[in-house]
């Protein structure tokens, strides 16, 4: 009757209730009455009955369990929904949905439930009542997080506990797993089993293609998957990475942590809108890699000693250069592990944090909140650090702050994108850093690449032809016979070597070029010399170039001449074309490279012809 009086008489609800009851109405009763009025209005608007959230929830035994199984609590808050009942016989889950939600959100809920092999049945409820229950569940979840379980590994404890409870080997073998979940787990397990570094899930016009990058080369692993599975598989990866599955027009970045055969593995996830769907790229970050020391990464003792000496200096800046995926972060963390002592304060800022190392402070940038490299570096300077690691120096402001830190008693390690070690110094100057600041702060530059190792089980020995040696600038005398190894590549469809799967390569090895900045190099940098002049001075001082290091690995039988040509020969530029046209060759007295008979300057070590 109070509702009827409000409708006909124009009075508000509270006076109408008090008039009928003959007394004042409590606040709790007022709220409940307002909710009932809203429920009636919504029922009239949508032409259906709205469920009472409190009554439905009171009949549910395990709300957190249903959320973990079908709809994570974060997605429930975003979509304003809540799974409340599960019927195993017909694989049907009842989901409460706030009235007034658009069809797009309803479709998102249906997709997420369908990926778990179930069908969603909706009941409309009042949004205010649903938000009240969701807030209570969120509070319970946060209260549980206050008492974390003990963990044997560093990092976010709650995240690791969830990862330890989710082993891919167990979930992938579950019989009741939905097809999309099973496919996603199978892709992750195969990548981990084969030692891949990246996973590319690429929607095409008529199919879904999955490629794995093994030893730096992409290989097609799954093809011919029907295009109908594209939305389900891509959405599954986005759910695992806690991304917004409703956002399909903008790129997103996330992270997945899982356990696999007793070890914790992180996947850095990136989604990119494309013509036929969202491409998902996952980079594997194995925490066991950070345990590698420099002695396991660098085969050349002189180069390894030079890098270790840079890490023992009390202040200054060390640059590590190379393209994406060349192992820069692995080298830096191997260097950090040498310095990680109880008396050393180490802080890192990265985008994102790739490895976890106990005993150091790691910060991830958040550009949406304005937390960039420069801001974190300024904050670090107030934290009394000894060693700073900057994930990437990409702008003038970050470079200036890093150099200022190096000049004021801190050791700074950072990365830079350029082709080789000498060009990194000029790259800093192009960013707007004064040459005298670079000369005063820089300890050295490390440039690196990764070459595939020849499989020792099936490698084929051969004697290279003179023209093969000429392509890389080598020359052998008639009395000396070189013995190289070539990868034995199996024919398509054949089983091939059981160690490398017929690819001829197994694992990768680093190739390094180290430029220590001594007094002579520092004086040249302060003068603003060119890259070619710096390279000439560095080689004269004993620097081994990337190509020279790669040829050493060929002579040792670790890699092949073809692999050196594929990865490193592009760095010498026009000098390759000059050598290919040479008719006769001489040997450079500095580095032994094959040269034309009328040579003026060696294109490798820049040694001038004696007068």
């Amino acid at each position: 009757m109070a509702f009827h009086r409000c409708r006909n008489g124009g009075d508000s609800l509270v006076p109408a209730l008090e008039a009928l009851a003959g007394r004042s109405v409590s606040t709790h009763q007022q709220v409940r009455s307002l909710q009932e009025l809203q429920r009636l209005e919504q029922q009239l608007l949508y032409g259906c009955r709205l469920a009472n959230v409190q009554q439905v929830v009171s009949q549910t035994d395990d709300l957190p369990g249903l959320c973990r199984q079908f709809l994570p609590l974060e997605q429930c808050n975003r979509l304003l929904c809540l799974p409340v009942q599960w019927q195993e016989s017909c694989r049907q889950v009842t989901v409460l949905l706030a009235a007034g939600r658009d069809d797009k959100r309803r479709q998102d809920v249906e997709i997420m439930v369908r990926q778990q092999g179930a069908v969603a049945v909706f009941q409309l409820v009042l949004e205010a009542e649903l938000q009240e229950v969701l807030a209570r569940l969120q509070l319970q979840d946060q209260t549980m997080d206050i008492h974390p379980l003990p963990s044997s590994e560093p990092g976010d404890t709650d995240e690791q506990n969830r990862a330890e409870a989710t082993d891919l080997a167990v979930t992938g073998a579950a019989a009741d797993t939905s097809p999309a979940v099973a496919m996603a787990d199978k892709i992750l397990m195969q990548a981990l089993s084969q030692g891949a570094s990246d996973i590319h899930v690429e929607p095409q016009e008529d199919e879904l293609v999955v490629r794995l990058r093994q030893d730096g080369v992409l290989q097609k692993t799954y093809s011919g998957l029907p295009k109908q599975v594209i939305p389900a598989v891509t959405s599954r990866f986005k759910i695992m990475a806690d991304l917004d599955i409703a956002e399909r027009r903008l790129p997103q970045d996330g992270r997945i942590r899982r356990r696999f055969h007793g070890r914790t593995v992180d996947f850095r996830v990136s989604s990119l809108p494309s013509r036929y769907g969202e491409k998902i790229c996952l980079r594997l970050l194995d925490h066991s890699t950070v345990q590698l020391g420099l002695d396991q990464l660098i085969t050349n003792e002189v180069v390894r000693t030079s890098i270790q000496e840079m890490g023992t200096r009390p202040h200054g800046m060390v640059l590590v250069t190379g393209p994406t995926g060349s192992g820069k972060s692995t080298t830096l963390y191997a260097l950090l592990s040498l310095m990680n002592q109880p008396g050393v304060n180490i802080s890192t800022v990265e985008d994102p944090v790739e490895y976890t190392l106990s005993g150091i402070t790691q910060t991830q940038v958040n550009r949406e909140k304005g937390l960039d490299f420069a801001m974190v570096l300024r904050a670090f300077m107030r934290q009394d650090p000894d060693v700073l690691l900057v994930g990437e120096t990409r702008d003038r402001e970050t470079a200036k702050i890093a150099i200022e830190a190096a000049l004021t008693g801190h050791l700074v390690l950072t990365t830079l994108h350029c082709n080789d070690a000498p060009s990194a110094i000029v790259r800093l100057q192009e960013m707007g850093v004064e040459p005298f600041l670079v000369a005063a702060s820089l300890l050295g530059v490390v440039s690196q690449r990764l070459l595939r190792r020849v499989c020792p089980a099936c490698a084929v020995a051969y004697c290279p032809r003179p023209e093969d040696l000429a392509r890389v600038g080598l020359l052998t005398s008639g009395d000396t016979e070189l013995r190289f190894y070539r990868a034995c590549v199996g024919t398509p469809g054949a089983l091939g070597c059981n160690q490398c799967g017929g690819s001829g390569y197994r694992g990768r090895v680093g190739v390094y070029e180290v430029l220590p900045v001594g007094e002579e190099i520092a004086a040249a940098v302060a003068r603003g010399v060119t890259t070619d002049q710096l390279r000439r001075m560095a080689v004269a001082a004993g620097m081994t170039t990337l190509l020279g290091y790669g040829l050493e690995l060929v002579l040792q039988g670790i890699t092949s001449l073809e692999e050196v040509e594929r990865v490193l020969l592009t760095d010498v530029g026009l000098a390759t074309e000059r050598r290919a046209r040479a008719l006769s060759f001489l040997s450079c007295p500095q580095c032994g490279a094959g040269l034309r008979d009328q040579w003026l300057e060696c294109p490798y070590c820049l040694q001038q012809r004696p007068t």
Side-chain angles (χ1 to χ4, degrees), residues 555-569:
L555 294 172
Q556 296 170 13
I558 297 177
T559 188
S560 66
L561 195 62
E562 293 79 9
E563 185 69 5
V564 169
E565 292 185 54
R566 182 182 72 89
V567 178
L568 301 178
L569 203 57

Side-chain angles (χ1 to χ4, degrees), residues 303 321 419-422 445-448 511-515 535 543-547 549:
V303 173
T321 70
N419 290 330
D420 54 17
V445 185
V446 181
S447 182
Q448 67 180 82
V511 180
Y512 297 86
E513 177 180 275
V514 180
L515 171 58
R535 186 180 294 109
M543 183 186 77
T544 301
T545 62
L546 287 170
L547 184 59
Y549 196 117

Side-chain angles (χ1 to χ4, degrees), residues 445-459:
V445 185
V446 181
S447 182
Q448 67 180 82
R449 301 288 191 278
L450 291 177
L451 299 179
R452 291 182 292 175
R453 291 177 179 265
V454 175
C455 177
C458 63

Side-chain angles (χ1 to χ4, degrees), residues 154-156 159-160 162-163 188 236-243 252-258 264-271 280-287 333 350-357 362 364:
D156 180 67
E159 185 180 357
Q160 288 189 6
R162 290 195 298 268
L188 297 182
R236 173 57 187 169
F237 281 119
K238 293 177 70 174
I239 291 172
M240 295 171 69
D242 198 21
L243 301 180
Q252 297 184 70
D253 295 316
R255 194 183 188 97
I256 299 173
R257 171 167 289 188
R258 286 294 183 270
T264 301
V265 182
D266 282 348
F267 300 85
R268 195 173 72 187
V269 184
S270 172
S271 69
I280 305 294
C281 181
L282 301 96
R283 167 158 292 190
L284 280 69
L285 305 173
D286 194 342
H287 290 273
Y333 268 90
E350 304 167 71
D351 183 22
V353 175
E354 296 188 0
Y355 297 116
T356 301
L357 191 61
Q362 298 174 278
Q364 180 168 318

Side-chain angles (χ1 to χ4, degrees), residues 425-426 429 435 521 523-534 537:
I425 298 176
V426 179
Q429 298 174 4
I521 297 291
V525 172
R527 294 195 305 268
V529 299
T530 64
T531 302
D532 290 337
Q533 292 172 324
L534 278 175
M537 295 178 62

Side-chain angles (χ1 to χ4, degrees), residues 284-305:
L284 280 69
L285 305 173
D286 194 342
H287 290 273
S288 60
T289 309
V290 78
Q291 304 300 327
L292 297 178
L294 289 177
D295 56 340
Q296 298 174 269
L297 298 175
I298 306 175
T299 59
N300 189 301
E301 184 177 354
V302 176
V303 173
R304 182 172 63 249
T305 302

Side-chain angles (χ1 to χ4, degrees), residues 66-129:
L66 290 174
C67 290
R68 287 192 298 268
Q69 183 177 359
F70 296 103
L71 293 167
L73 192 56
E74 295 81 2
Q75 300 293 344
C76 290
N77 282 293
R78 184 177 62 83
L79 299 172
L80 285 180
C81 61
L82 182 66
V84 292
Q85 187 179 6
W86 164 241
Q87 298 180 14
E88 180 69 31
S89 58
C90 58
R91 299 195 66 81
Q92 176 177 295
V93 57
T94 302
V95 181
L96 301 182
L97 185 68
R101 297 294 99 191
D102 51 55
D103 293 337
K104 181 67 173 56
R105 295 179 182 268
R106 181 191 289 257
Q107 293 174 3
D108 291 339
V109 175
E110 289 177 341
I111 292 174
M112 296 175 66
V113 173
R114 194 182 307 126
Q115 288 172 354
Q116 311 303 322
V119 178
V121 177
F122 295 96
Q123 287 188 5
L124 295 182
V125 295
L126 276 178
E127 181 173 329
E129 293 182 355

